[in-house]
Amino acid sequence: MAERVQARSREALARLRAASDRAERPLSFMEVCGTHTTAAFRLGLPSLMPENVRLLSGPGCPVCVTAQGDIDLLIALALDHRVTLCTYGDMLRVPGRRGSLAKARARGADLRVVYSSLDAVRLAAAEPERQLVFAAVGFETTAPATAAAVETARRLGLTNFSVLASHKRVMPALEALAASPELALDGFLLPGHVSVILGSEVYRPLVEARHLPCVIGGFEEALMLVALAELAEQAVDGRAELVNLYPEAVRPRGNRVAQDLLERVFEPAEVPWRGLSRIPESGLVLRAAYADFDATRRFGLLRAEDREPAGCICGAVITAAATPHDCRLFGTACTPIDPIGPCMVSSEGTCQAWFKYRGMPEPVLEPEPSTQIASPA
Ligand code: SF4
């Protein structure tokens, strides 16, 4: 089995190198999935890329793309409104203006880490005397579970459950990235998990309108290398095709049950992203029929201006406008143990992946001081 995988990886790498040899200019491909980011670095893929091929990490980490203002709202809910806040573990250490949720807990906030949105509904049902808010983050992968939680809470008649929805839609972000002249992308390695929900065909307009190769890839070394080889061959040949290399999980039309659930409970809205500013229709907000479950409305929350932690360039890292090594705080003031920005907090964040698998940047060596002694004037 291992030999077969190795052979497939070698074959894909040879294809990638052959395509890159034919390229008349450097090629840039972007993956937009936190799991791809981590897998790529863990497997050492960046070091296998031919010199003229760049594999960029885009906005695929759910925690990282959550705007600073949303983090601040969660902290306000926990500290000022004294709700019980249910969140996924990765969110705990993301710093906001008033510290992180973990620090809010140290100051007495009631914070519970849950593994699913339905756990939050169960807690609300068990503790009817407390107002409980679920911090809903992530792309279309996690949003159906939030929608299911809202429908369940309604069915149970819960009046103490609400959601702060910071969900994001992947397609508008891909459109924005594809349109960026600075990035000048040659193709997307598309996210496997989101594609399970959305299906492969959702990307076809992007491929056709932008003439951009798009390949849905799995998460193992061989699968990612095959996807990159496919992208490179298409780019060099001047082709733009939609290829699904993860058909065992991704169907052309995706998961209709999950899509219907999303459609019933949420509607698209313009929302802020860390690093990408506001993108029309890029978020999912509760429909008017479910407004009773909207924590923003229930607690009269007002968003503050989105502001990055001082010195943190996460926004630029998320959009591949900078690398973690461009950040002067990387590995010094900001480490996975003591993170400053979400890209170092999250196990799917690019800064954490670089810290774990690439380490510190090479030191810039100063030229030797001259040993010549100036002759007296
Ligand atoms: Fe932000 Fe830390 Fe990454 Fe710098 S190294 S961009 S401070 S998360």
Side-chain angles (χ1 to χ4, degrees):
M1 177 71 178
E3 291 87 52
R4 233 184 25 237
V5 171
Q6 277 176 5
R8 205 170 168 204
S9 298
R10 272 198 300 273
E11 189 187 314
L13 196 53
R15 278 176 60 198
L16 176 59
R17 289 189 173 142
S20 75
D21 286 345
R22 292 192 288 125
E24 288 168 0
R25 56 179 177 77
L27 301 173
S28 296
F29 303 117
M30 180 178 267
E31 49 82 9
V32 279
C33 164
T35 312
H36 272 152
T37 306
T38 318
F41 280 95
R42 184 169 37 80
L43 299 167
L45 295 193
S47 62
L48 293 177
M49 291 299 105
E51 241 175 44
N52 58 348
V53 177
R54 288 194 310 161
L55 174 57
L56 304 171
S57 292
C61 154
V63 172
C64 307
V65 299
T66 302
Q68 193 70 28
D70 291 351
I71 307 293
D72 291 334
L73 288 182
L74 291 172
I75 290 165
L77 278 166
L79 283 178
D80 304 336
H81 298 272
R82 312 304 291 177
V83 306
T84 296
L85 189 68
C86 290
T87 175
Y88 297 130
D90 260 7
M91 291 290 287
L92 276 188
R93 295 196 306 141
V94 181
R97 284 177 202 231
R98 297 163 66 191
S100 63
L101 288 170
K103 286 190 176 145
R105 175 149 70 180
R107 287 155 63 191
D110 183 8
L111 252 125
R112 319 265 179 102
V113 173
V114 291
Y115 295 98
S116 90
S117 51
L118 288 172
D119 287 346
V121 175
R122 272 190 281 274
L123 281 170
E127 300 181 43
E129 70 289 354
R130 291 203 55 82
Q131 280 292 326
L132 191 139
V133 178
F134 175 62
V137 298
F139 296 92
E140 288 96 335
T141 332
T142 51
T146 305
V150 170
E151 288 203 331
T152 306
R154 167 167 286 178
R155 211 169 38 252
L156 295 175
L158 297 182
T159 54
N160 65 329
F161 175 82
S162 58
V163 164
L164 189 80
S166 307
H167 284 302
K168 304 284 188 289
R169 297 177 64 223
V170 78
M171 276 308 294
L174 293 180
E175 293 280 2
L177 294 162
S180 162
E182 290 81 28
L183 280 174
L185 293 176
D186 295 292
F188 279 119
L189 170 53
L190 292 166
H193 297 141
V194 169
S195 304
V196 170
I197 305 293
L198 298 179
S200 54
E201 283 305 306
V202 74
Y203 306 110
R204 194 165 294 285
L206 180 67
V207 176
E208 290 175 357
R210 299 247 167 230
H211 195 74
L212 198 63
C214 284
V215 177
I216 301 169
F219 300 103
E220 289 157 21
E221 178 190 59
L223 296 177
M224 288 181 73
L225 280 171
V226 172
L228 288 165
E230 173 66 36
L231 284 168
E233 286 170 352
Q234 284 194 37
V236 171
D237 295 342
R239 290 180 287 124
E241 291 163 19
L242 173 61
V243 177
N244 179 7
L245 292 175
Y246 198 33
E248 61 274 32
V250 178
R251 288 175 292 172
R253 304 279 165 205
N255 182 330
R256 297 308 288 263
V257 175
Q259 290 167 20
D260 289 347
L261 197 50
L262 285 179
E263 179 66 26
R264 274 201 307 276
V265 175
F266 290 116
E267 61 186 347
E270 179 176 303
V271 295
W273 293 53
R274 194 186 295 267
L276 283 166
S277 173
R278 298 185 77 87
I279 308 176
E281 308 225 321
S282 66
L284 290 169
V285 297
L286 290 167
R287 288 189 180 278
Y290 292 93
D292 289 351
F293 295 94
D294 183 349
T296 314
R297 194 179 138 122
R298 182 173 297 184
F299 298 98
L301 301 176
L302 289 176
R303 268 189 86 85
E305 179 201 346
D306 291 309
R307 206 166 54 198
E308 298 274 336
C312 175
I313 59 165
C314 261
V317 170
I318 288 166
T319 51
T323 73
H325 283 177
D326 294 325
C327 176
R328 65 189 168 79
L329 306 177
F330 179 88
T332 52
C334 182
T335 64
I337 290 179
D338 202 5
I340 287 179
C343 303
M344 189 64 93
V345 171
S346 172
S347 56
E348 295 192 337
T350 305
C351 292
Q352 192 179 123
W354 278 57
F355 186 87
K356 276 189 188 159
Y357 302 111
R358 283 187 94 139
M360 297 297 286
E362 294 288 327
V364 180
L365 296 175
E366 296 291 333
E368 291 273 324
S370 170
T371 49
Q372 278 188 352
I373 299 170
S375 46

